[in-house]
Amino acid sequence: MKKQILLGHIGTLLLGGLIYILFRAPTLKMFDWYDSIGLSTSLNTLRDYASPIVNHIPNWFLYSLPDGLWIFSYISLMLFIWQNSVSRKNIFWILIIPTLAISSEIGQLLGFISGTFDFADLLLYILGMILPFLFFTKSINLNFKLQTL
């Protein structure tokens, strides 16, 4: 259980954030927030160390992987909260965020949502959703009973 929180939740959350901090454009709003709390100098030093490799990192790593990691983090935390058991009572809460992310990407593909569809985003959302179940789930019990009149 400690490994699940440390690696599955906190580790993937921080890794996704670190990719943003080190490699994403400094025009993102989060960099204004860091500046307002006095972290700009430290973060710029880290970005300077990372800058020589940014041109060698594939786009999917920079732009799609963080979101997949954050979905993995969310699912890991939700599974931890429900003691790694999935049921009718908790499946909605476990799947709400990845469902919204996947639906948004498909909505972009179909033109219902503004933005640019990216297959790498969709793939990493799906992997971020499925892998925590494979790694951490003890039981899945989704028995849906039909009610008779």
Side-chain angles (χ1 to χ4, degrees):
M1 289 286 232
K2 281 186 180 182
K3 187 186 299 185
Q4 180 176 351
I5 285 296
L6 290 176
L7 296 177
H9 172 58
I10 296 171
T12 54
L13 185 67
L14 292 177
L15 182 57
L18 189 61
I19 292 169
Y20 261 70
I21 289 169
L22 293 178
F23 304 116
R24 296 297 294 266
T27 55
L28 293 173
K29 188 67 176 164
M30 65 181 214
F31 289 102
D32 292 339
W33 301 335
Y34 296 144
D35 187 39
S36 69
I37 60 173
L39 290 176
S40 287
T41 303
S42 299
L43 292 181
N44 286 335
T45 301
L46 287 173
R47 291 172 62 81
D48 288 343
Y49 284 117
S51 66
I53 65 168
V54 72
N55 293 328
H56 304 288
I57 298 173
N59 282 344
W60 66 265
F61 185 95
L62 297 174
Y63 300 105
S64 302
L65 182 60
D67 294 339
L69 289 168
W70 292 331
I71 289 176
F72 188 103
S73 175
Y74 172 81
I75 296 277
S76 295
L77 179 62
M78 291 297 104
L79 289 173
F80 178 80
I81 288 170
W82 278 291
Q83 298 159 351
N84 294 322
S85 294
V86 180
S87 69
R88 288 185 311 149
K89 295 177 184 174
N90 64 18
I91 192 70
F92 172 82
W93 299 109
I94 294 171
L95 293 180
I96 185 66
I97 298 298
T99 300
L100 289 172
I102 291 168
S103 298
S104 170
E105 202 62 37
I106 293 171
Q108 290 175 7
L109 174 66
L110 300 175
F112 298 138
I113 295 177
S114 64
T116 303
F117 170 77
D118 187 342
F119 181 75
D121 286 350
L122 182 62
L123 178 63
L124 288 165
Y125 291 161
I126 292 169
L127 286 173
M129 180 179 72
I130 292 171
L131 290 176
F133 287 100
L134 298 176
F135 293 150
F136 305 122
T137 304
K138 286 193 280 188
S139 69
I140 297 178
N141 182 3
L142 299 175
N143 290 331
F144 293 99
K145 297 176 183 171
L146 295 174
Q147 294 182 2
T148 58
L149 298 174

